Amino acid sequence: MNITGAELAMLRARQKVPRPAPEAEWLPGRRGVRLFVPGALRNPLNRKPGWQDERRYRQRWKEGVANALLSLGYRRGALGSPALRKHVVFTAHVYHRFDSQDNLRACLKAAVDGLVECELLDDDRDSAGHLFEYHQVVDRARPGVEIEVRVAP
């Protein structure tokens, strides 16, 4: 495959465009964390992408959650044991609202898996006892997901 000099310059310019950094903060008393992971959500139930596209999408969200926690200085066990019951609130900043809560949950599955891989949660199954809330707001200027994880009372 041959590309022109202009196409090469365009590709290099794209690489230099800064991506928004994840934001993170401790909640009062260090009883929880609030993260914002930038990125556009897509519903895997509405389309059938190739397995590589789906893998890249899931990997990007998992890495986004991990990068937000690293920028905070989070260490494993800072919120207690992963098995300790947690209350997790997802607020999706989306371009268009999703049809139902089922679609929103499908979009955020990779972010939940990122919390499990970073050992904030031990598992995402219902019997693990963690409470999950899902909300969405239309925010076309700043797409992404705000994740708040608190130790449940």
Side-chain angles (χ1 to χ4, degrees):
M1 174 183 206
N2 294 327
I3 62 173
T4 64
E7 290 172 329
L8 180 62
M10 182 186 66
L11 290 172
R12 286 186 178 152
R14 256 193 224 166
Q15 289 176 341
K16 293 179 183 176
V17 174
R19 292 187 181 182
E23 303 167 16
E25 66 180 344
W26 287 101
L27 296 176
R30 287 195 173 228
R31 297 293 291 167
V33 294
R34 183 178 297 125
L35 315 169
F36 183 81
V37 181
L41 290 172
R42 71 173 192 222
N43 187 354
L45 301 178
N46 285 347
R47 56 187 287 244
K48 291 293 183 189
W51 66 270
Q52 291 173 331
D53 290 337
E54 185 63 27
R55 183 178 178 274
R56 275 191 295 267
Y57 176 77
R58 295 177 60 75
Q59 189 65 30
R60 190 179 67 73
W61 279 103
K62 289 177 184 180
E63 288 174 0
V65 169
N67 287 336
L69 289 169
L70 285 174
S71 71
L72 182 65
Y74 176 82
R75 300 284 181 240
R76 288 185 173 125
L79 289 179
S81 166
L84 187 63
R85 192 169 166 220
K86 308 274 188 338
H87 184 193
V88 184
V89 179
F90 292 96
T91 304
H93 296 249
V94 297
Y95 194 79
H96 294 291
R97 292 182 65 84
F98 288 99
D99 294 338
S100 68
Q101 291 294 83
D102 293 338
N103 292 335
L104 183 60
R105 289 179 185 180
C107 294
L108 294 171
K109 175 67 173 134
V112 175
D113 292 342
L115 294 174
V116 172
E117 282 189 13
C118 292
E119 295 184 14
L120 225 61
L121 307 173
D122 61 337
D123 204 342
D124 59 345
R125 67 184 188 278
D126 290 338
S127 61
H130 304 297
L131 303 171
F132 294 96
E133 282 184 41
Y134 298 89
H135 306 283
Q136 56 185 322
V137 294
V138 175
D139 186 357
R140 295 177 178 166
R142 189 175 168 226
V145 178
E146 183 178 321
I147 306 169
E148 187 174 307
V149 181
R150 293 180 183 264
V151 176

